[in-house]
């Protein structure tokens, strides 16, 4: 495996510091270790900002917002300050991808070339910079002869933003929050997951080296205590959070007293409905089993972890899903042959295995996987991808977000039943329909309660709204929906008779 120590040295990441008010601060209050999920070795340690670090960061961001000039810059000037960041992100693509692989074990090939790559993050910055001179309000027609008032709307930046990130896509989620926040004229405090700080530290370094005014961008590292201090802080106007529903709930409660604006991108238990008129059962089985077993090994919010398959094609589907499993390769994430990631921690590995156990206890048939691999791989948090057949939708493996390599295959007989199964979930994030019947595709896509849905494939992109219904979250991110989420609408009434 690529030597961790030499990689870190070469990558110029300086752990253990916080970036606040335009300066890197050495932080001696407390530190925590970050482990490599492939080996469980300690890679390095980071500063726990805690309430004191959070107070400093919020004060700096508050000052930069309230005293300006950042929120009031002309569109062209703001764009000019941000543009070099995009170029530096593209230039550092390879390094950032390596760090992300060290962070969460995503195979390097995916860290380099996928929608969670550093290149994708640079594309996201580029996309949101394009909005800066298009954040328009409206001029409304005068309503009646009762008054001669002209109404107009303006979009003002929402203020100080706390951006709290998950472990599974640190680079992409950093970009999806920081880029639009800065484009809209907000100031930002980023807190990465305590499990994955390396790539975000390098991203922060790029912003630190830019010409942004002090306090516009800040980085605090730390775990629950730091996250809670940040998201409950009275000086924060908005929280943009991506993570689990349990923490999303806590943030909702903690932010209520100051009525913070919230964007919550939370978990999912997405259903893929495979109809007998699908063009290829093979393609559907390969795609769904592939999404659960390769890449981040099911540690992706949109993973279609429930395959709802018509009974007439069930045997064929399971045959191809098992064939797909034989393509999975564990090992050195920098080896091009490695297809999958380990679980992020020992704790999460144990949690996934408990779900495999519960599936068997509740009567589902485990066709493959669900075990720990032996040998050298035993040092990492690997779980052999599990394929379950004969799953009922009321089982825990069909209801809970496992966030690991477990595909639950559920049979159905009628279209109505397939829709009912898909909607019988506390989540509503994404989903997919495999069919060649255009009317059915439209009908089912409209009936499934999820923020996004795909027909014969699914992928999210930065310029389309993305987010969840029900327990999958609040709000949308992507394109103009993100601009709305990072701005406040102000209505101006102008008396034309005065
Ligand atoms: P998590 O909720 O455990 O942690 C997310 C972040 O919250 C971390 O930075 C953590 O330190 C912080 N945190 C912990 N306690 C906090 C508190 N009390 N107050 C404020 N912040 C706190 O999530 P995770 O395990 O890192 O990520 C996995 C989850 O994220 C899954 O549920 C997954 O579906 C979800 N996710 C959703 C999307 C989406 O776009 N909908 C994308 C990626 C991940």
């Amino acid at each position: 495996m690529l030597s961790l120590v030499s990689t870190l040295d070469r990558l110029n990441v300086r752990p253990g510091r916080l970036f606040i008010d335009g300066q890197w601060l050495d932080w001696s209050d407390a530190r925590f270790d970050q482990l490599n999920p492939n080996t469980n070795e300690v890679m390095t340690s980071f500063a726990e900002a805690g309430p004191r670090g959070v107070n400093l960061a919020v004060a700096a961001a508050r000052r930069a917002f309230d005293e300006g000039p950042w929120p009031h810059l002309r569109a062209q000037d703001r764009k000019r300050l941000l543009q070099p960041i995009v170029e530096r992100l593209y230039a550092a693509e390879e390094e950032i991808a390596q760090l992300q692989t060290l962070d969460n074990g995503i195979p390097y090939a995916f860290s380099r070339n996928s929608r969670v790559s550093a290149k994708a993050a640079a594309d996201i910055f580029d996309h949101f910079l394009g909005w800066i001179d298009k954040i328009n309000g409206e001029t409304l027609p005068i309503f009646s002869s009762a008054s001669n008032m002209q109404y107009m709307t303006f979009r003002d930046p929402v203020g100080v933003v706390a951006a709290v990130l998950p472990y599974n896509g640190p680079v992409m989620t950093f970009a999806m929050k920081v880029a639009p926040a800065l484009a809209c004229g907000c100031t930002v405090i980023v807190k990465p997951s305590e499990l994955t700080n390396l790539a975000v530290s390098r991203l922060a370094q790029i912003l630190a080296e830019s010409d942004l005014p002090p306090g516009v961008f800040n980085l605090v590292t730390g775990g629950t205590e730091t996250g809670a201090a940040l998201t409950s802080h009275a000086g924060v106007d908005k929280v943009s959070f991506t993570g689990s529903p349990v923490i999303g709930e806590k943030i909702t409660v903690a932010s209520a007293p100051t009525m913070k604006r919230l964007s919550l991108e939370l978990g999912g238990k997405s259903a893929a409905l495979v109809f007998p008129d699908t063009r290829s059962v093979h393609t559907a089985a390969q795609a769904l089993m592939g999404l659960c077993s390769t890449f981040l090994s099911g540690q992706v919010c949109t993973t279609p972890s429930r395959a709802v398959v018509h009974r007439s094609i069930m045997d064929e589907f399971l045959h191809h899903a098992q064939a797909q499993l034989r393509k999975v390769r564990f090992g050195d994430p920098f080896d091009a042959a490695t297809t999958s990631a380990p679980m992020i921690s020992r704790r999460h590995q144990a949690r996934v295995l408990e779900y495999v156990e519960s599936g068997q206890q509740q009567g589902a048939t485990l066709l493959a996987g669900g075990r720990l691999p032996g040998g050298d791989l035993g040092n990492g948090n690997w779980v052999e991808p599990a394929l379950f057949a004969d799953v009922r939708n009321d089982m825990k493996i069909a209801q809970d977000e496992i966030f690991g390599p477990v595909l639950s295959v559920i049979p159905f007989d009628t279209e109505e039943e397939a829709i009912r199964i898909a909607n019988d979930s506390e989540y509503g994030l994404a989903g997919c329909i495999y069919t060649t019947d255009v009317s059915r595709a439209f009908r089912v896509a409209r009936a499934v309660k999820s923020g996004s849905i795909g027909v014969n494939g699914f992928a999210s992109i930065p310029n389309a709204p993305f987010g969840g219904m029900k327990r999958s979250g609040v709000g949308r991110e992507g394109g103009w929906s993100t601009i709305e989420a990072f701005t406040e609408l102000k209505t101006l009434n102008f008396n034309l008779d005065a």
Side-chain angles (χ1 to χ4, degrees):
M1 180 176 305
L2 199 83
S3 156
L4 302 181
V5 176
S6 69
T7 307
L8 287 176
D9 282 352
R10 191 162 57 77
L11 294 178
N12 199 21
V13 169
R14 310 236 190 106
R17 302 196 301 174
L18 308 175
F19 185 71
I20 295 177
D21 210 12
Q23 293 181 40
W24 286 102
L25 300 183
D26 286 318
W27 198 249
S28 54
D29 285 20
R31 288 168 91 88
F32 61 94
D33 292 335
Q34 184 179 324
L35 307 186
N36 184 307
N38 283 287
T39 60
N40 282 299
E41 289 170 278
V42 173
M43 289 193 288
T44 184
S45 64
F46 285 88
E48 179 77 49
R52 191 170 83 84
V54 165
N55 282 341
L56 290 174
V58 174
R62 205 53 284 157
R63 237 179 353 262
F65 188 79
D66 294 339
E67 296 170 21
W70 184 249
H72 313 294
L73 285 185
R74 298 287 180 251
Q76 255 195 348
D77 295 337
R78 191 179 300 144
K79 199 169 179 183
R80 214 169 274 134
L81 282 172
L82 290 169
Q83 196 68 53
I85 293 172
V86 180
E87 308 315 322
R88 286 188 197 136
L89 287 172
Y90 282 122
E93 228 183 87
E94 195 181 330
E95 281 175 33
I96 297 168
Q98 289 179 359
L99 288 166
Q100 182 167 241
T101 290
L102 292 174
D103 269 328
N104 63 15
I106 182 173
Y108 179 65
F110 290 122
S111 195
R112 193 72 211 281
N113 296 300
S114 74
R115 68 191 172 85
V116 299
S117 67
K119 180 186 174 303
D123 290 342
I124 290 168
F125 266 80
D126 191 47
H127 168 74
F128 284 109
L129 261 56
W131 278 110
I132 293 176
D133 54 10
K134 300 167 193 73
I135 303 175
N136 302 327
E138 289 176 304
T139 309
L140 303 160
I142 296 176
F143 186 67
S144 75
S145 52
S147 75
N148 197 15
M149 297 274 257
Q150 178 64 61
Y151 286 75
M152 303 171 215
T153 61
F154 293 84
R155 288 207 165 266
D156 292 337
V158 73
V160 172
V161 173
V164 181
L165 315 182
Y167 75 80
N168 64 332
V171 172
M172 190 263 282
T173 50
F174 178 99
M176 283 301 289
K177 296 178 190 317
V178 175
L182 296 179
C184 290
C186 301
T187 59
V188 194
I189 303 149
V190 173
K191 194 203 83 61
S193 163
E194 62 275 35
L195 304 170
T196 53
N197 303 277
L198 294 168
V200 170
S201 300
R202 181 71 183 93
L203 291 166
Q205 195 179 42
I206 290 174
L207 271 88
E209 287 166 0
S210 72
D211 293 324
L212 292 180
V216 169
F217 170 81
N218 307 274
L219 174 79
V220 295
T221 48
T224 303
E225 189 194 9
T226 300
L230 181 61
T231 53
S232 60
H233 200 292
V236 168
D237 299 301
K238 177 186 169 88
V239 178
S240 177
F241 172 76
T242 301
S244 61
V246 172
I247 305 297
E249 269 176 48
K250 290 188 180 173
I251 290 175
T252 305
V253 172
S255 63
T258 45
M259 291 286 174
K260 295 185 199 319
R261 277 55 187 135
L262 290 181
S263 294
L264 304 175
E265 297 283 356
L266 308 179
K269 189 73 191 178
S270 299
L273 312 185
V274 188
F275 288 94
D277 55 17
T278 179
R279 190 181 305 282
S280 160
V281 177
H282 181 184
T283 306
Q286 195 175 34
L288 300 178
M289 194 69 251
L291 287 165
C292 273
S293 59
T294 63
F295 187 52
L296 279 156
S297 301
Q299 298 168 100
V300 177
C301 55
T302 51
T303 300
S305 51
R306 292 184 296 155
V308 183
V309 178
H310 193 267
R311 218 178 283 276
S312 66
I313 51 169
M314 182 58 83
D315 290 348
E316 193 184 351
F317 181 92
L318 293 172
H319 166 77
H320 290 301
Q322 282 173 288
Q324 172 62 29
L325 279 181
R326 289 192 281 278
K327 297 182 188 162
V328 168
R329 295 282 174 276
F330 293 162
D332 179 352
F334 291 97
D335 181 338
T338 301
T339 59
S340 311
M343 300 299 95
I344 190 66
S345 63
R346 282 280 190 231
R347 201 165 135 228
H348 189 45
Q349 180 193 43
R351 190 171 167 267
V352 173
L353 292 174
E354 279 169 25
Y355 274 111
V356 173
E357 182 68 36
S358 95
Q360 291 172 290
Q361 278 173 4
Q362 290 193 303
T365 308
L366 180 63
L367 291 181
R371 289 172 313 202
L372 299 183
D376 283 353
L377 293 170
N379 295 329
N381 307 321
W382 303 96
V383 175
E384 286 182 6
L387 172 62
F388 273 109
D390 307 317
V391 178
R392 286 191 326 269
N393 201 50
D394 62 355
M395 293 177 181
K396 271 167 79 68
I397 54 169
Q399 286 293 321
D400 293 2
E401 183 187 43
I402 301 174
F403 217 56
V406 180
L407 181 64
S408 298
V409 185
I410 306 168
F412 75 89
D413 292 302
T414 65
E415 184 180 303
E416 294 69 31
E417 189 188 2
I419 294 168
R420 191 179 47 71
I421 292 170
N423 288 340
D424 175 19
S425 171
E426 58 182 12
Y427 294 104
L429 188 62
C432 192
I433 302 155
Y434 287 90
T435 181
T436 45
D437 179 336
V438 177
S439 307
R440 188 203 296 279
F442 194 79
R443 220 169 33 237
V444 178
R446 293 303 311 270
V448 172
K449 292 186 171 48
S450 61
S452 303
I453 185 122
V455 175
N456 298 321
F458 181 87
S460 49
I461 49 166
N463 63 344
F466 173 80
M469 294 185 185
K470 303 191 262 181
R471 221 169 136 70
S472 290
V474 173
R476 296 291 179 271
E477 288 185 348
W480 176 249
S481 68
T482 319
I483 302 299
E484 287 182 333
F486 284 95
T487 52
E488 288 276 13
L489 208 51
K490 150 99 60 79
T491 307
L492 175 68
N493 313 207
F494 206 103
N495 187 348
L496 300 177
D497 291 335

